Amino acid sequence: MKLQHNLGESELFSDESLANIVESIDPKHIDITTMGEDVSTWGHVDRAGQPGASVLEAVRGGRVWINLQAIEQVDPRFKDLLDQMYGELEGTLPDFKTFKRKLGMLISSPTARVFYHFDVPGQALWQIRGRKRIWIYPPTEPFLPSTEVENVVRSLAMEDLSYEPWYDDYAEVYDLEPGQMLHWALNGPHRVSNLDGFSVSLTTEHWTSEIRRSYAMHYGNGILRNAAHLNPKSRSLDGPMFWAKVGLTAAWRKSGMDAKQGYQRKLTYKIDPSAPLGVVPLDESEQKQAARLGG
């Protein structure tokens, strides 16, 4: 679904506002990455105490992608914006009822890319500045392997998925201009390339009762596959087997077993506006210090 919006008229997306957000957001809610020509050169970046304006300078001249998460918690104006966005959508679609809404912001270089991945909750991408091309793939095997989805749902891995070039033959491709929004099927795998210009986008995510059921199903299947060494095939969101998985998921999480799992980002670069890609590698001591400080 592709819609129009007028978010770009707001001062919330000026350079000054963007720099303030980068500086004030909790380090746990900012993920800065850089990328090469393939997924093996993907790396997480430490802000290294750089002011927001310097970080934006590195983005403009380098190959940097900044993911600012839960920005509705940083500035109440973003909370008002998030409520307004979903208020309009739910007002137009009476059967669309959401909860656990979040608002993120992507700030990225003209040459930046995001590799093949998927999102667990419902999502939409709202383009503010710059242009993007997005490839969206069917949310089915082999494009969306069940085992990889289960690992992401259980926080055993990031959202990256295995990718083959021939997948592109089955993708729907969209070019997003400023003032356009795109929403696609739940868990739909996708990848993104910026086309030109300094890019600013918003991401919205939400949950519905159906999405929550899908989460419980994948979580339960993951427990059965990894802990019980079974091979669950059902992806039904109703019936006795589904509700057994709901109970299993609840019991597993309540037991604290999931607290022993998880995937953590490792910072291997730091922001440097003077570098060709806007980042330079961290040495071993800098990596340890960045890990202690939480990025």
Side-chain angles (χ1 to χ4, degrees):
M1 182 174 64
K2 196 174 186 180
L3 301 175
Q4 300 294 124
H5 66 81
N6 61 359
L7 296 173
E9 300 173 5
S10 172
E11 286 297 319
L12 288 172
F13 307 106
S14 67
D15 285 356
E16 180 179 1
S17 176
L18 300 180
N20 288 336
I21 296 170
V22 169
E23 290 184 8
S24 60
I25 196 168
D26 188 318
K28 290 185 283 190
H29 290 164
I30 180 171
D31 185 17
I32 307 176
T33 52
T34 187
M35 66 294 298
E37 294 304 317
D38 58 69
V39 72
S40 65
T41 54
W42 182 273
H44 295 281
V45 181
D46 181 16
R47 182 163 74 89
Q50 291 278 2
S54 296
V55 176
L56 296 186
E57 181 183 349
V59 173
R60 283 193 173 87
R63 188 180 291 166
V64 179
W65 189 285
I66 301 176
N67 182 7
L68 299 160
Q69 303 157 1
I71 60 172
E72 75 278 1
Q73 299 176 16
V74 177
D75 186 323
R77 293 177 297 173
F78 284 109
K79 175 63 168 62
D80 293 340
L81 179 61
L82 180 63
D83 291 342
Q84 179 185 350
M85 294 162 78
Y86 275 98
E88 292 184 13
L89 289 172
E90 293 185 354
T92 304
L93 304 167
D95 294 331
F96 182 57
K97 302 300 180 185
T98 63
F99 56 94
K100 289 182 65 174
R101 307 164 180 167
K102 291 185 180 179
L103 186 64
M105 184 185 295
L106 305 174
I107 306 172
S108 50
S109 304
T111 58
R113 302 185 296 162
V114 168
F115 297 108
Y116 190 68
H117 72 287
F118 81 104
D119 299 297
V120 174
Q123 74 293 299
L125 180 64
W126 310 68
Q127 194 64 17
I128 310 294
R129 298 165 62 176
R131 300 169 60 239
K132 291 187 188 303
R133 178 166 296 161
I134 180 168
W135 290 257
I136 301 176
Y137 303 78
T140 57
E141 300 272 3
F143 311 100
L144 186 67
S146 296
T147 54
E148 296 187 39
V149 174
E150 292 160 11
N151 286 339
V152 171
V153 166
R154 297 179 63 215
S155 300
L156 299 178
M158 298 292 283
E159 294 88 349
D160 300 326
L161 294 168
S162 302
Y163 169 77
E164 297 292 342
W166 63 265
Y167 288 1
D168 289 359
D169 295 338
Y170 297 86
E172 296 182 18
V173 184
Y174 298 89
D175 287 351
L176 276 190
E177 305 281 344
Q180 294 181 334
M181 168 272 229
L182 194 66
H183 170 74
W184 54 94
L186 179 66
N187 302 150
H190 54 283
R191 63 184 182 90
V192 183
S193 288
N194 286 350
L195 296 177
D196 53 55
F198 176 77
S199 180
V200 179
S201 313
L202 287 181
T203 61
T204 50
E205 68 175 53
H206 61 267
W207 291 75
T208 64
S209 58
E210 183 177 7
I211 294 173
R212 181 165 54 187
R213 286 179 175 228
S214 175
Y215 174 90
M217 177 271 295
H218 286 300
Y219 205 112
N221 279 352
I223 297 171
L224 293 173
R225 194 182 310 277
N226 294 327
H229 306 291
L230 300 176
N231 185 27
K233 297 185 180 298
S234 173
R235 300 182 70 179
S236 173
L237 301 184
D238 204 355
M241 181 61 71
F242 165 74
W243 288 109
K245 292 174 187 176
V246 171
L248 177 62
T249 296
W252 187 273
R253 291 170 63 87
K254 187 175 181 180
S255 72
M257 293 294 290
D258 60 337
K260 301 177 183 179
Q261 306 164 5
Y263 177 90
Q264 292 188 338
R265 294 187 290 262
K266 181 180 179 181
L267 300 172
T268 53
Y269 296 87
K270 65 180 178 181
I271 287 290
D272 184 346
S274 64
L277 295 181
V279 301
V280 294
L282 290 170
D283 61 34
E284 186 174 349
S285 63
E286 288 175 322
Q287 289 185 31
K288 292 180 179 179
Q289 182 180 13
R292 287 196 301 269
L293 297 176

